[in-house]
Amino acid sequence: MADTALQIIERGLALSALNRAETLATNESELLAVVNKALVAIFAFAARVNPGLFGQTVDVAYNGSGWTRPANADLIFRIEGRGTLTAPTSLTVGTEIRVVPQDDLAVASPAVYRFGQQFYSAGKSGDPTGGSLRFFCTTRPVALATTADTIDDRLPSAYYPVLEYEVATYLAAKDGGRPQDAGPSEQALMANERDRWLSMFNDWCEHETANETRRFDEIKRFTTEAREKVQRALTPAA
């Protein structure tokens, strides 16, 4: 069972003796927003490192002109036909629908092109013209509406400290960083510990399944593409 937002917030408060637990009632909605923001950042980071890790499928029906991008999709990495649910029906279940540039529609088929937040048929023979398409995507985390809501269970509980230390970093930042007589501020200490957990989360994203066999590369290698640091979406160390 996943933890609630309140449990995350309470553990974040407990990380420093300077935090005042009695203020939780007045700060509850503010700290809930901190946890939600951190979750969005973590899921967006995972999408860059390992798109299928928090993957979901969403079936989208034709709306008269195209297929609307799934509202909660952070990253789309594959689109498939749905057989008798797709026009033409030659697009059998599992047939990949390629996404092609709007200025080069002939590059692949069957295909759609993206413009704005919608996908349109590429207009060639065999390209989809109606029905539903299945989108494979990394979706954003389920938003927490109250502190009684549970954390999206796709995030392993082993990495909850990222959320807890983000709460602690945010609270220290509100108090001017809580400078020490000597050494780094409490804000910096909390942020450094949060970033250490983020590094471990990154490692897990890279190596969680390393034995995938592929047609053109026998073993799937660790994902090591360059990416933006997730820390930019969280409370800074100073």
Side-chain angles (χ1 to χ4, degrees):
M1 180 68 179
D3 285 357
T4 65
L6 182 59
Q7 289 173 298
I8 296 292
I9 291 170
E10 288 176 337
R11 290 200 292 269
L13 281 164
L15 289 171
S16 173
L18 296 177
N19 289 329
R20 296 170 56 193
E22 71 272 16
T23 65
L24 176 57
T26 56
N27 293 337
E28 188 172 303
S29 61
E30 179 182 1
L31 295 178
L32 181 64
V34 172
V35 176
N36 268 320
K37 179 182 176 183
L39 280 170
V40 169
I42 290 170
F43 273 63
F45 177 75
R48 289 284 191 93
V49 181
N50 188 338
L53 182 61
F54 293 155
Q56 293 183 332
T57 59
V58 181
D59 290 349
V60 178
Y62 188 71
N63 62 17
S65 60
W67 295 265
T68 303
R69 178 185 175 87
N72 205 33
D74 195 47
L75 180 152
I76 295 170
F77 54 89
R78 184 178 174 88
I79 304 174
E80 289 185 355
R82 300 291 295 126
T84 58
L85 300 177
T86 305
T89 55
S90 59
L91 298 175
T92 56
V93 174
T95 299
E96 183 177 6
I97 311 298
R98 306 298 182 92
V99 180
V100 298
Q102 185 184 5
D103 60 356
D104 190 8
L105 300 179
V107 69
S109 187
V112 293
Y113 70 91
R114 175 183 55 81
F115 186 74
Q117 297 297 304
Q118 184 153 296
F119 293 83
Y120 299 90
S121 173
K124 305 184 301 300
S125 175
D127 290 339
T129 57
S132 66
L133 298 179
R134 174 160 291 177
F135 288 75
F136 291 72
C137 44
T138 299
T139 55
R140 300 181 186 93
V142 177
L144 304 164
T146 73
T147 54
D149 290 346
T150 55
I151 304 299
D152 192 312
D153 60 10
R154 287 177 291 169
L155 178 66
S157 59
Y159 302 104
Y160 284 175
V162 176
L163 304 175
E164 295 157 12
Y165 276 99
E166 172 60 7
V167 169
T169 304
Y170 175 84
L171 290 169
K174 281 190 69 176
D175 288 344
R178 296 178 184 165
Q180 311 288 331
D181 291 337
S185 67
E186 182 176 289
Q187 180 181 348
L189 292 172
M190 294 297 176
N192 288 340
E193 187 64 16
R194 178 203 62 204
D195 293 349
R196 190 171 71 88
W197 281 98
L198 278 172
S199 294
M200 288 188 283
F201 176 69
N202 172 73
D203 291 344
W204 177 68
C205 287
E206 289 183 351
H207 69 228
E208 54 86 28
T209 303
N211 64 332
E212 181 180 352
T213 301
R214 291 176 170 247
R215 186 183 303 272
F216 301 112
D217 185 8
E218 286 190 13
I219 299 296
K220 179 176 183 259
R221 308 302 174 187
F222 289 171
T223 309
T224 56
E225 291 90 343
R227 62 192 69 90
E228 294 290 340
K229 290 185 177 180
V230 68
Q231 287 91 328
R232 69 176 183 166
L234 302 174
T235 306

